[in-house]
Amino acid sequence: MQKQLLVGAALVLVCAFGFQSVFPKNYQSFNAQGKQDFVWAKIVADGNTPGSWPWTIELVKLFFEDLTLTGSVAEDEMPGSHKKLIHSVGAIAKARFNWNAKTQSKYTGLFQSAEYGLIRCSSAAAPSSNHLAPGISVKFFRKGVHSGNFVAMFDTDPANHPSANFFDKFMANHVAVHQNPSFAQRQLLNAFKKASPWPGTVGLSNFAAYAEDGTQVAEPKFPWMLVFQPNPQLTDYFEKLDNSDVPSTFSAYWPVGKQGGPTTLFKVYGLETPTDTKPFFMGTFEITSGFAASSFADETLFFQHTFLQTDFATSHAAGWEAMVNDDLLSVQNGEHFRSVIPAF
């Protein structure tokens, strides 16, 4: 409670000293499509112009930053004191989940219907010609309440992905925490551990807590983990590129307002509990627009992280925490399940 009060006080001070919101005061009352329309208009107004990568000296701030903000702020606008120091530049598109009947019957909230959302694709660090740390940030809007968000990656360290192909690995909302991380990775993990004891994971309880129409769910039900299997058409296409710059390659392949590449980016699989070993098919993840580079999306749009302790506090996840240990988290990422997931 004390930490939440301090975070709130910090935000008040930021506002008092000149933070100007670009969102209307009644934004939260909009329905899901209205919120998507408002944010998308801001994105396309940028004219396909991305933000910028931080200076190397700025990255030092990440090791000392209060990352509890990423979990405690339930807004679509970046807190005034916060800046994207990782995943700083990306490409963004409108998106929807096409959930199957099994998913809709098992889970709640946005696992029932998620038609009005965004996907932002980015690299954790500035990519080189042969190294990329691909990740996705997912946001789905809801009427009258905050959006549902999560992120997914293959690995946080570009050194562990010696490829410029964004779609060559399975991603998940859990990233394996390496037993022997590099110095920089260790410092980053320590920074995230100040916010959550499980720094390589984000939870899904908030995604399940409210329906798209804003209805609150009494007992949210959600999977332990989502695994994103890339469309092999995309894997093949991006393998042929010699350009790892996400904003330019994505906006060229999926131009806004024109016919582009395949609209189904991923098949989505889920694990019911931490100890499950075979993911089940949940549906597909599709884009409903082209991709745009956008300084608004890079610098102003905020994707809240649901920390794993929030999931553990729900009745649905009772007993999950006791199943989780370092050995499990050191191997459990999307790529770990490739061999047991059927071909696309």
Side-chain angles (χ1 to χ4, degrees), residues 43-66:
I43 289 167
V44 297
D46 284 335
N48 213 39
T49 302
S52 58
W53 291 99
W55 295 97
T56 302
I57 190 65
E58 289 184 276
L59 296 177
V60 178
K61 299 177 185 176
L62 188 62
F63 302 150
F64 306 101
E65 190 175 7
D66 180 8

Side-chain angles (χ1 to χ4, degrees), residues 267-302:
K267 283 186 176 180
V268 186
Y269 287 78
L271 290 177
E272 291 193 49
T273 72
T275 55
D276 285 350
T277 58
K278 189 172 182 180
F280 64 94
F281 180 58
M282 296 180 64
T284 57
F285 188 72
E286 304 163 1
I287 54 171
T288 57
S289 75
F291 273 93
S294 166
S295 58
F296 173 84
D298 291 342
E299 298 167 1
T300 303
L301 193 64
F302 180 66

Side-chain angles (χ1 to χ4, degrees), residues 212-280:
E212 196 166 65
D213 65 3
T215 303
Q216 186 171 9
V217 178
E219 293 186 13
K221 296 180 180 179
F222 49 92
W224 157 251
M225 183 176 176
L226 297 179
V227 178
F228 292 83
Q229 178 189 35
N231 186 331
Q233 286 183 258
L234 304 182
T235 306
D236 292 344
Y237 174 82
F238 279 83
E239 188 65 31
K240 299 171 185 175
L241 299 183
D242 57 4
N243 181 359
S244 59
D245 180 66
V246 172
S248 62
T249 57
F250 276 57
S251 60
Y253 192 45
W254 291 284
V256 173
K258 299 179 182 179
Q259 183 69 37
T263 56
T264 298
L265 303 187
F266 303 99
K267 283 186 176 180
V268 186
Y269 287 78
L271 290 177
E272 291 193 49
T273 72
T275 55
D276 285 350
T277 58
K278 189 172 182 180
F280 64 94

